[in-house]
Every structure is written in structure tokens, then in C-alpha cells.
Amino acid sequence: MIKKVFCPLDCFDSCAILAEVRDGKVLKLSGSRDHPVTQGFLCKKGYRLLDKVYSENRIKKPLLRVKNHFHEIDWNTALDLIAEKLDEVLKRYSSSAILYYSGDGYEGYLKNIERLFFDYLGGATYSEGSLCWGAGLLAQKADFGNSLCHSPFDLFNSNWIVLWGRNALWTNLHLYYLVLKAKNKGKKVMVIDVYKSPTFRIADAGILIRPSSDSYLAYGAIKYIIESGKEDRSFIDNYSVGFEEVEKIARGLSYDEIAENCGVSKEVIEQVAEIFLQRPVSTFIGYGPQRYTNGVNTIRAIDYLVAISGNVGIKGGGANFAHRFTQNLEPLFKDDSRAVNKRFYNRAKLGEHLKSLSEPPIEFVYISAGNPVSQCPDSDLIFRELQKRFVVNVDMFLTAISYASTLILPAASFLEKEDVFIPNMWHDYIGISEKAIEKIGEAKSEVEIINELAKRLGLDFPVKSESEWIDIVKQHLEKNLNIRLDGHFARGCAIDVPWEDRVFSTKSRKFEFKSEELGVAVPALDHDQKPLKDQLRVVTIHSDKTLHSQEFFKREKLAYINPLDAKRLNISNRDKILIYNGCGGFILEACISDNVGRGFIVVEEGFQNENIETINSCLFAFTAEKGSQAAFNSNFVFVRKVAT
Ligand SMILES: Nc1nc2c(c(=O)[nH]1)N[C@H]1C(S)=C(S)[C@@H](COP(=O)(O)OP(=O)(O)OC[C@H]3O[C@@H](n4cnc5c(=O)[nH]c(N)nc54)[C@H](O)[C@@H]3O)O[C@H]1N2
Ligand SMILES: Nc1nc2c(c(=O)[nH]1)N[C@H]1C(S)=C(S)[C@@H](COP(=O)(O)OP(=O)(O)OC[C@H]3O[C@@H](n4cnc5c(=O)[nH]c(N)nc54)[C@H](O)[C@@H]3O)O[C@H]1N2
Ligand code: SF4
Ligand SMILES: [Mo]
């Protein structure tokens, strides 16, 4: 029997998967050939999803932690303990003494039921800010009014495809595949990054710049375009506001200044500009360039370049960052009228906020599908703060947070529950994922856990099965977005070329070079972050072997370092090195490589060791503008060889 499911991982691609089931067991996963974008193949992690589902390390029963030991308990005891604690917190404080952390470890839509539950309790302390894409979203909201992507197939209409800080070969495989196909049809590819990422192998033009200097590069190209009189005047005059200020800034810059800040020559700046002028050019902006304290500014400057070169609203163009076509969809799993006590913490500053929030303090933490001890900055502080509290963690495995949790509840895997998947990073194919197998051990879905808790607390909460909720979600999508979901998947919106009518979602209805909230983006580095003498910057990238903290393949803990930096620090290839600063430390292995420029190391994110330390132990909780986003890459460390 074939069951139609979806990849549950937080990924651009959101693949449609077929699960071959025999005797109650899934034998094989394969890509659904019917899916136009994901086209019947998965990435190597996708094929390994079954190993996770059937892993011996799955938690099979609720666990109670006593010191560093975990004791299996039955569900009734676990749920009673949680309900009692919630009752106590509600009586003594208010519902905002509960902090709810919803992670990105599982992308099914029904998980949002957890939020509705906390709204019914009166509203908890919820997250704002982002670990992921917040700076880019804020930037594009200011410029366009929303983030929207062109249809994945529109890149066949482009002359050039620009992968700007997106390592598509590792993080967005089906885009990589389409780019490769386009390349075979004669299209050209430019990759802009801070190190020679694996995606450079498809680059016709590969541009290496200094970390956080993209706004200079974009402004340099803008300067060249304006000074050669090649800007898209019709777009600027009729459909934008605030261009004059951008022009003034661009004209006032010197190429020397730009070249010095980016670490490239004037010729490279001109080359980038000339490529953008070979319209249509589609640009795919990755999330790496915005993980800095100036991340919003950076993405806005790239948007400007796309607009000024005449690549907005045309076939084969676009500044593709995210695809928020559901932005105006009323959330089903939220009830603000009940959430009278709700307040917010910044996800990027979780540790600090756990520590400092008062009136009421945080007494109870509910973490589901998230591993903040591994994935948030300043992770040791989070661990210490969690250890002081009653923490419930819903996960499939013991993780870095387990030793700080009071109770760990076994989550059902994606094959053991039904769900709806609504992607919002690239393409728009919404899908339904069927339940393929019975639950393993005593695992429960998020919906089942919340239903049990709501019953215990005597709430008038809408207790429904997953199928009932799926019907409601389907009706909601049909009524509000006109999407009919009868089969495995359906297109979520009919937009192939966003902003084709040149009517933007901003207040002025125009493309806003100057926005009321953010003013005009300027060429800048994350200058506020001054490294101390001998410190190197840490640039963390996403790995092909893991999805964040979820490992699918064993990997070595490597720090890629430039040969000259290594020499200066007396580090040889494969030496064990300690990276440290005032925030914390972490041990890695040096990998000396010409692919990395001077002044920084490149490390994959999601590393943890047996002592709960993680790579984020030594990343301070800096944020990009307006607290929008964790500025992981605006961090500097000392690097020292460890005696072995
Ligand atoms: N295999 C795999 N795929 C994934 C994920 C995963 O963990 N593993 N995670 C998923 C998620 S949640 C996300 S958010 C996406 C992220 O997907 P991407 O945006 O591709 O991911 P990153 O690895 O953060 O950064 C991409 C590139 O930006 C570069 N970069 C860093 N700083 C700068 C800079 O200042 N300027 C420029 N131009 N480039 C810079 C990095 O060197 C890196 O090559 O991937 C998704 N897909
Ligand atoms: N230094 C650095 N840190 C980063 C980043 C970076 O670039 N650099 N990237 C950031 C980004 S872009 C993101 S999106 C975050 C992601 O970070 P997180 O949201 O923490 O995501 P994961 O580590 O993928 O997964 C968290 C947990 O979800 C669990 N899980 C899997 N399936 C299920 C399920 O069905 N139900 C439940 N309840 N749990 C499940 C997994 O076992 C795992 O322990 O990390 C951020 N952290
Ligand atoms: S991780 Fe991404 S590319 Fe890989 S199977 Fe899942 S959705 Fe597809
Ligand atoms: Mo992310």
C-alpha cells in the first residue's frame, strides 16, 4: 500500500513523498513523481527519514527526569503532573508565567494547536523575533510590503540566475536542480558568498566578499548602474518612492571605499552590475547574509539593486527570499480574545528573557519540536535557566535540552500522524500528509497531547481529532485562499510573477526605497561588532548532513580556516582547537582551506557534544535591526590549539 506523505523538515523544498507500507511498516520512502517542483526525488536526508522513525533511540514513553536519570512513567501520571503544575502556576501567577517555545523541528501545520491551547489558558509568553529569516522578512516588508517568490519554473525565463548567499546544493536541492537544468539551456549563474561554498560548482561567475559587506556590494553595483545612466527609469519614476536618497548615497560613495569593505576590486563591482543589467535576472537571496546585526539593511540593499536594474515584477526576474502567500490568512490556531495575558520574549534572546522576565517570572516552559539549547545563541545560559524551571519537552529523542527538562513527552513522527503542510520559503504547493503507520511505542501527536491536557484542565477547548482539524484547515484554505485540496497537494497561489502589476503591498502601494519604519538602507558593515585583537569571526552555515540539530549522517566537527590565519595562530591541519570568548567555548577540529578568506572561520551549525555544549555556546545573543533576527554571524572568538 502506498501512503502519501510530506517531508516534515524545515526546508525550502517541502517534498511530496510516497511511503510504501507493508504489514504495518514503511519499507521505503520515495519522491512523488507527480509533484511538479520536487519531481520524484529527495535529498539524502529525505531518504534517511525512515532511520529516524525506526531509530532505537526514539523515546517510547513519557520520561521524568530526576537529577541526571530518566524514569519511564505512564501517560496519566505525566499529564497529571503537567496539569497540576499548570493549575498551580495559574493560581499563583497568571498564564503569562508560562513560556511556550515552538521550534522548527517539525513543519506540520496542526502543531499550532499548542498555541491555541495556551491562548485558551489566557495567553502565555510567546516568541517574537526569529532564528531564521526575520531580518529578510522585515526588509522585504519595508520594500515590497511582503516577501513573495516567482514560480520555481520562472527562472527558465532568466538570462542570469543569482544565488546570493544561498547554498542551494545543500539547502535547496530542487532549486539547484532547476538551476542546473537552466544552465544546460544556456542560462548563466552567479554565486555570491563569503567562502567558496559547494554551490560554487555551478557558478559562471563566483564572487567572494567579506562577511556582512553585501550592502556595499549592492550599492557599488547601484552606483555603477546609475552613473552609466542604465537604471530602470520607468520603474523608478512610476512605481517607487525614495529613490533620490539612494541615488545620493550611491553617487557619494567611492569605489575604493566599497572595494575595501567588500574585499573585491572595482572590476568585480562592475561585473556584478553588468550581470544585473542583462535582464531578466532572477535573484535568490539566502538566509546567510541576514544573520548579522545589519541583516535588514543588507537584504534591503539587495532588493534595491534588483529594483534599480529593472528586475522587479518581470518574468524571469525577482528578489526571491521567502514566499509568504498566506500572509493575510487569518490564523486558525490563535484566539487573541482569550489570550488577554499574552506577552512576548525574543527567540534570539531566550536565555536573557528567561532570566529577566518578571511580573510574573517564567515558571513553566513548554518546548515542542525545538532544541533551543542547541539552536539559540548563548545556549549555555538557556540550559542553566531552563534547569531552574518546570520544563515540558515534546520530542522524538533525548536532546541537549533533556537534561534541563522535567518531563519529556514522546512525539509521534510524521508517518504516525496526519497533517497539512503549508510551505512558505520558496514554492507554493500545499499538501496533505496521510498517517502511514501506527504510533511507535506510546508516542502521541501534538494534537493528542493538547487534547488530553485541555480535558484535564477542564477547558472549553475544541477537542478534535487530527482528521477533523484537517477538514477545518481545508475549508479555511478554500474559503480564504480559494485553494481546493482534494488530493496529495495543490498550488497555494496562482502568482507566477509577483508584483507584475507594479502594485505593492506597502502603505504607498509603491516599492519603498524609503520606508516610514526603516528609512533608507545604507551601505554598512556590522561595525558595531568590534573584534578584539586576534579574534576571528564565526560564520555558521547549514549542513548537508543535518537539518539543524537533527543529524542524519555522522559528521566531523570542523572549523574551516584560512591558511594564513592558521599559520599566525600556529594551528596545523586537523589540530583540535578551542574557540572561545566571553560567552563560552567549544572544541572543533581545524580544517585549513583556501576556500575561506582571512579573518573568519566557517563552521556548520547544530553541533553539540556530550557535555551539552554546542557551537552556539560561544555565540552571543546579538540581533539584527529591531530584534528581528539572531545575528549569529556577528560573533568573534579567540582560536587556540588544544594540547592533546
Ligand atoms: N541540508 C540542510 N538544508 C536546509 C537546512 C539545514 O539545516 N540543512 N535548513 C533549512 C533552513 S531552516 C534554512 S533557514 C535554510 C537556510 O539556507 P541558506 O540560506 O542556504 O543557508 P545558510 O547556510 O544559512 O547560508 C547560506 C550561505 O550564506 C553564506 N553567507 C554567510 N554570510 C554571508 C554574507 O555576509 N554575505 C553573503 N553573500 N553570504 C553569506 C554562507 O557562507 C552560506 O554559504 O536552509 C534550509 N535547508
Ligand atoms: N549558529 C547558528 N544557529 C542556528 C542557525 C544558524 O544558521 N547558525 N540557524 C537557525 C535556524 S535558520 C533555525 S530554523 C533554527 C532551527 O532550530 P530548531 O527549531 O531547534 O530545529 P531542529 O534542531 O531541526 O529540531 C528541533 C527538535 O525537533 C524535534 N522533532 C522532530 N520531529 C518532531 C515532531 O514531529 N514533533 C516534535 N514535537 N518534535 C519533533 C527533533 O527531534 C529536534 O530535537 O536553528 C537556528 N540556529
Ligand atoms: S529535507 Fe528538503 S529536500 Fe530533503 S526531502 Fe525534505 S523537503 Fe526534500
Ligand atoms: Mo531556518
Side-chain angles (χ1 to χ4, degrees), residues 10-11 104 130-133 287 291 425 542 547-548 605:
D10 179 18
C11 170
D104 288 305
S130 170
L131 301 178
C132 176
W133 59 351
Y287 298 0
R291 305 189 199 281
M425 288 168 85
H542 290 211
L547 212 298
H548 310 303
E605 56 123 32

Side-chain angles (χ1 to χ4, degrees), residues 10-12 45 132 164-167 170-171 192-195 197 209 211-212 214 286-289 291-292 425 539 541-544 546-548 605 633:
D10 179 18
C11 170
F12 289 102
K45 302 179 300 306
C132 176
W164 195 317
R166 185 178 303 189
N167 184 12
W170 282 10
T171 63
I192 304 176
D193 207 297
V194 296
Y195 87 112
S197 76
I209 59 169
S212 106
D214 303 79
Y287 298 0
R291 305 189 199 281
Y292 294 85
M425 288 168 85
V539 172
I541 55 161
H542 290 211
S543 169
D544 61 334
T546 76
L547 212 298
H548 310 303
E605 56 123 32
N633 295 342

Side-chain angles (χ1 to χ4, degrees), residues 487-498:
H488 195 183
F489 45 79
R491 266 201 86 172
C493 72
I495 306 170
D496 284 337
V497 179

Side-chain angles (χ1 to χ4, degrees), residues 150 154 157-158 280-283 306 311-320 497:
H150 286 231
D154 188 46
N157 296 317
S158 314
V281 178
S282 51
T283 305
V306 174
N311 284 299
V312 165
I314 63 165
K315 276 201 179 67
N320 302 281
V497 179

